[in-house]
């Protein structure tokens, strides 16, 4: 069993930055694929970023490529999402996920989810 707890969300002006954290329980954290997803009001959940193999491979949605960076600290059982150059369209609840997905972009493939943290970007 893995428990995930996100933190770091908040209100920021467009162009600003935030860093989200996701603290995970469990001894085999380093073996999991860790992903970030987001869901805006009235929209479906969408993939943001993921990394696997202890951070050696990373994946990003086109909409955040070059602005967001996913990283992990296996010693702290924590994955991060550094978000720079934020835009109002980045406003959403951000969720951390863990698992061994067949596809890193498919949320249904992940086994564990956090409770989410709100990110609001004002224009």
């Amino acid at each position: 069993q893995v428990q995930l707890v996100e933190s770091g969300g908040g209100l920021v002006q467009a162009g600003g930055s935030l860093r989200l954290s996701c603290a995970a329980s469990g001894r085999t954290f380093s073996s999991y694929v860790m992903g970030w997803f987001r869901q805006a009001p009235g929209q479906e959940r969408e993939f943001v970023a993921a990394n696997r193999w202890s951070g050696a491979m990373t994946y990003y949605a086109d909409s955040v490529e070059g602005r967001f960076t996913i990283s992990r600290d296996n010693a702290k059982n924590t994955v991060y999402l550094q978000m720079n150059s934020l835009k109002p369209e980045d406003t959403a609840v951000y969720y951390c996920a863990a698992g061994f997905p067949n596809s890193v972009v498919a949320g249904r493939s992940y086994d564990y989810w956090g409770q989410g943290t709100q990110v609001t970007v004002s224009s």
Side-chain angles (χ1 to χ4, degrees), residues 1-2 11-12 19 23 28 33 43 45-46 52 54-55 58 61 63 65 76 96 102 105 109 112 116 118-120:
Q1 189 74 13
V2 174
L11 173 64
V12 64
R19 188 177 80 157
T28 58
V33 173
Q43 298 187 19
R45 181 179 61 194
E46 66 174 354
R52 64 163 81 226
S54 297
T58 59
S63 59
E65 180 87 50
K76 296 182 178 180
C96 174
N102 294 325
V105 303
S109 297
Y112 305 102
Q118 176 71 47
V119 171
T120 303

Side-chain angles (χ1 to χ4, degrees), residues 42-87:
Q43 298 187 19
E44 294 186 354
R45 181 179 61 194
E46 66 174 354
F47 169 77
V48 176
N51 82 15
R52 64 163 81 226
W53 305 121
S54 297
M57 298 180 68
T58 59
Y59 309 84
Y60 296 97
D62 289 344
S63 59
V64 306
E65 180 87 50
R67 299 188 298 122
F68 291 11
T69 302
I70 187 171
S71 62
R72 64 197 293 167
D73 185 337
N74 289 328
K76 296 182 178 180
N77 279 12
T78 301
V79 64
Y80 304 97
L81 185 68
Q82 177 66 44
M83 305 185 296
N84 298 329
S85 301
L86 282 161
K87 305 175 181 180

